[in-house]
Amino acid sequence: MTAAEDVTDLGPSQTQGLVCAHHHLYSALARGAPAPSQPPRTFGAILSEIWWRLDQALDLEILEWSAKLGALEALEGGTTALIDHHESPGAIEGALDVIASACEAVGVRVDCCYGVTDRHGPDGAAAGLAENERFLRAGGRGHVGLHAAFTCGDETLEAAAGLAAELGVGVHVHVAEGPEDAEGPRRLQGWATDDWLLVHAVHLDRDLPGTIVHNPRSNMNNSVGYAMPAQRPNAVALGTDGIGADMLEEFRLAYARHREYDVTASPETAWAWLAEGWSLFPEAAGDRVTWSYEPMDPWHLAFTTGVRPVEVIVGGEVVWADGAPTRVDGAEVRARAAEQARRLFGRMEET
Ligand SMILES: [Zn+2]
């Protein structure tokens, strides 16, 4: 047993550091963004009219403060490790370093990837692949990212899978999130391996190897349907898909959505999905969070809202205490992030 696995020191008001297994730190500034001229009516329209306008408008300075705000909000939720999926087609090179540095500044662990896509032609795909490779070869912690099969040609899928295999990491990819990606599972079959992160898997028509990352709030928000993760043979972890990193909240949502589908569902199932984060990000298992509530038990937490961390320890260092981060000035991060949000919205209006 490693020190990280030894939980005998945990008191009734403590847990290990929580893990968000799918995040988009670039979207932390999206709230309040200018609305599309027409309300999108499909998942594809939500992507093209909201997210692809936003990611196009990002630059590295906006990204830095978006990531710092996202990391700060993770600590506020007792989340010490994030598995991030990034896209900024106008500012690709160096983007993963910006995210890693922003998280380091706040004291949150991060696993980075750049979501490769053919949406911006072969040069855009090549630049995305190169950013993954550059970051990972330099010793960065991460995956090789793919946006989703439906925005990539077969050559790009093959290149990403090949790079990941060569570097000994998995691929982090959205799979069958909406009906637009119905062909995705077929096209990824043969490439996917056990170390892949299969994000959403709502419309999966076959089993693929890898860990399914369930994002209940995002799936409800995009009206894509229920993923029924308990029906799958895969390991299942929980993510937020960029809507914060409050993993106790996501656990409660995962439980409530599961229970809506199956009245016999137990909170222990959703808790096991949350705990799967420690398989993906073992370092977080050695982090310690002291909470405002006890006992930190799934049957309590499923029905107890507003549980907040009192103290967060990452790698032996106190990074959150007395309602504030210790490495950064939380008020300054919020103010700078708000400034960058205004810049971002201005750039979105221009496009
Ligand atoms: Zn996502």
Side-chain angles (χ1 to χ4, degrees), residues 16-265:
Q16 294 157 287
L18 304 184
V19 178
C20 175
H22 179 69
H23 203 327
H24 295 285
L25 285 166
Y26 76 77
S27 74
L29 305 182
R31 55 200 108 159
S37 48
Q38 297 288 326
R41 303 188 67 87
T42 63
F43 172 62
I46 290 171
L47 288 180
S48 60
E49 289 165 35
I50 299 175
W51 299 108
W52 295 348
R53 280 175 67 220
L54 184 135
D55 71 16
Q56 186 80 52
L58 294 167
D59 63 24
L60 293 182
E61 191 182 10
I62 295 169
L63 178 60
E64 176 189 347
W65 291 98
S66 187
K68 280 184 181 160
L69 179 65
L72 176 65
E73 291 183 343
L75 281 191
E76 274 183 317
T79 299
T80 67
L82 309 173
I83 301 182
D84 192 63
H85 191 283
H86 179 64
E87 286 178 58
S88 51
I92 298 177
E93 192 183 348
L96 300 185
D97 288 340
V98 168
I99 293 170
S101 301
C103 289
E104 168 76 21
V106 177
V108 173
R109 303 177 188 278
V110 68
D111 178 293
C112 293
C113 77
Y114 190 90
V116 175
T117 179
D118 283 323
R119 286 196 292 122
H120 308 284
D123 290 351
L129 272 173
E131 177 62 5
N132 283 296
E133 182 167 11
R134 184 196 64 73
F135 179 77
L136 292 165
R137 285 206 193 277
R141 190 195 205 290
H143 287 73
V144 170
L146 266 178
H147 169 248
F150 78 97
T151 69
C152 294
D154 287 336
E155 270 180 38
T156 298
L157 297 185
E158 188 177 343
L163 177 64
E166 186 187 335
L167 297 176
V169 297
V171 169
H172 183 177
V173 56
H174 298 101
V175 182
E177 179 172 2
E180 290 79 356
D181 195 34
E183 287 296 302
R186 180 186 62 74
R187 293 178 56 220
L188 294 173
Q189 195 164 32
W191 295 114
T193 47
D194 287 336
D195 54 1
W196 281 38
L197 298 177
L198 312 169
V199 181
H200 297 290
V202 178
H203 299 270
L204 207 57
D205 64 352
R206 68 199 67 208
D207 289 329
L208 292 176
T211 297
I212 287 177
V213 185
H214 180 44
N215 302 265
R217 185 199 292 273
S218 171
N219 291 346
M220 288 189 274
N221 187 51
N222 289 331
S223 199
V224 290
Y226 184 45
M228 297 183 284
Q231 310 298 105
R232 293 278 165 197
N234 307 62
V236 175
L238 289 183
T240 61
D241 205 21
I243 310 177
D246 184 338
M247 297 314 295
L248 286 185
E249 170 90 343
E250 204 70 33
F251 149 77
R252 276 186 217 101
L253 281 162
Y255 163 69
R257 189 67 184 87
H258 188 194
R259 183 76 167 207
E260 183 185 35
Y261 169 76
D262 173 5
V263 74
T264 69

Side-chain angles (χ1 to χ4, degrees), residues 323-334:
T326 63
R327 284 194 178 186
V328 288
D329 176 344
E332 192 204 342
V333 170
R334 284 177 208 291

